[in-house]
Amino acid sequence: MILNSLLPSASTYAGDIDTLFDVITLLVGVPFLIASFLFFSFILRFKKKEGVDSMYISGTEHQYMKWIHRAHVPILVFDVIIVVMAVNVWYDVKQDLPEAASTVRVTAQQWAWTFTHPGPDNVLDTADDIRTVNELHVAKDTLYHFKLESLDVLHSFSVPVFRLKQDAIPGRVITGWFEPTLAGDFDIQCAEICGIGHGLMPAKIHVESPGQHAAWVKAHNPLALAAATSSAPPELESKVRKETNRLAAR
Ligand code: CUA
């Protein structure tokens, strides 16, 4: 409701996190406003008056204690509601790992992101992997796992439209997941102070339709690109061979 109006939600769990924000804002914000109103109105109402002595109240008498208990009960109930909802969302986003259709590697370093896409065979760490710097390409409505690594210091992989944020820790491979639900180009930003260039560590995520994404993968297949550059036209090849033979014969 509140977050959604400021920033599009573009992953399957973004809505759950937005709902959690709304519930917390409501359950904490409304009691805060009521308490603030009472606090300031009592200050004004019971300010020093000529000829009126102040009354000493210890607050331990039953008639005063009941006002503390009555306010305490709903606050405790709100706490339980927030904790239960938060644990549920946390479990779905961070603890549970649904089956993925594809896996990408996200490598952070001072101060850039390297993304390794699995390429046409959809398997990471094979010769057709597509590596890019500061741009991640994914297909809409496809569940991805990401393997997050850091080459040097702590970084944090933050995709605000997915409501996804995960620290990258040197020496560890952290696996997480997301499923984009909205096509478009969105921001990625490092969200952990990682040195002087921390603010210069943005990247882009390009969420494409499955067809567009397949076309991108095909156009960037490193094996096809290598084959295309190594095969020179035949007439050029025979010319080179003739020239080589002529030089060798001398
Ligand atoms: Cu990387 Cu901040």
Side-chain angles (χ1 to χ4, degrees):
M1 180 177 70
I2 304 162
L3 267 183
N4 215 357
S5 63
L6 301 170
L7 189 68
S9 72
S11 77
T12 47
Y13 48 65
D16 299 336
I17 291 174
D18 287 358
T19 304
L20 193 57
F21 265 88
D22 290 344
V23 168
I24 294 172
T25 306
L26 214 68
L27 293 190
V28 175
V30 170
F32 171 74
L33 289 179
I34 293 172
S36 303
F37 172 77
L38 290 175
F39 182 63
F40 287 106
S41 59
F42 287 161
I43 287 177
L44 293 174
R45 198 169 145 199
F46 297 109
K47 69 182 179 187
K48 186 182 173 208
K49 290 190 189 89
E50 279 306 317
V52 179
D53 285 339
S54 54
M55 205 188 340
Y56 181 73
I57 299 170
S58 70
T60 53
E61 300 91 335
H62 176 73
Q63 73 209 86
Y64 301 120
M65 283 292 276
K66 71 181 179 194
W67 288 105
I68 296 169
H69 296 319
R70 281 173 187 178
H72 202 179
V73 171
I75 296 296
L76 278 179
V77 171
F78 293 166
D79 276 352
V80 171
I81 293 172
I82 290 170
V83 168
V84 168
M85 286 187 71
V87 167
N88 268 315
V89 173
W90 176 266
Y91 181 84
D92 287 345
V93 177
K94 299 281 189 178
Q95 299 291 119
D96 194 27
L97 198 62
E99 193 84 10
S102 193
T103 302
V104 291
R105 177 174 295 113
V106 179
T107 310
Q109 72 189 93
Q110 290 171 316
W111 287 282
W113 298 95
T114 307
F115 300 104
T116 311
H117 308 74
D121 67 357
N122 203 23
V123 180
L124 264 186
D125 299 321
T126 51
D128 68 350
D129 285 0
I130 303 170
R131 289 161 66 89
T132 54
V133 174
N134 291 341
E135 54 171 299
L136 172 59
H137 290 257
V138 293
K140 185 175 167 278
D141 299 325
T142 305
L143 203 147
Y144 283 87
H145 284 181
F146 61 82
K147 300 214 169 281
L148 181 60
E149 297 174 15
S150 168
L151 298 183
D152 38 42
V153 299
L154 290 176
H155 299 272
S156 179
F157 180 58
S158 170
V159 188
V161 290
F162 287 179
R163 313 292 191 265
L164 167 65
K165 192 179 273 177
Q166 175 62 58
D167 276 8
I169 300 167
R172 278 187 63 186
V173 180
I174 296 171
T175 306
W177 72 280
F178 58 79
E179 183 176 343
T181 55
L182 188 68
D185 302 336
F186 305 110
D187 290 331
I188 294 172
Q189 174 62 48
C190 181
E192 179 85 50
I193 291 287
C194 56
I196 192 84
H198 160 70
L200 306 173
M201 209 175 152
K204 281 278 175 196
I205 182 163
H206 303 278
V207 180
E208 296 144 348
S209 71
Q212 276 177 321
H213 184 68
W216 181 85
V217 169
K218 197 169 171 226
H220 292 80
N221 177 1
L223 296 181
L225 290 173
T229 45
S230 68
S231 63
E235 60 270 27
L236 187 69
E237 221 172 306
S238 67
K239 211 173 178 180
V240 169
R241 200 174 309 120
K242 258 186 228 160
E243 186 66 9
T244 314
N245 289 342
R246 194 179 65 79
L247 288 170
R250 277 215 310 211

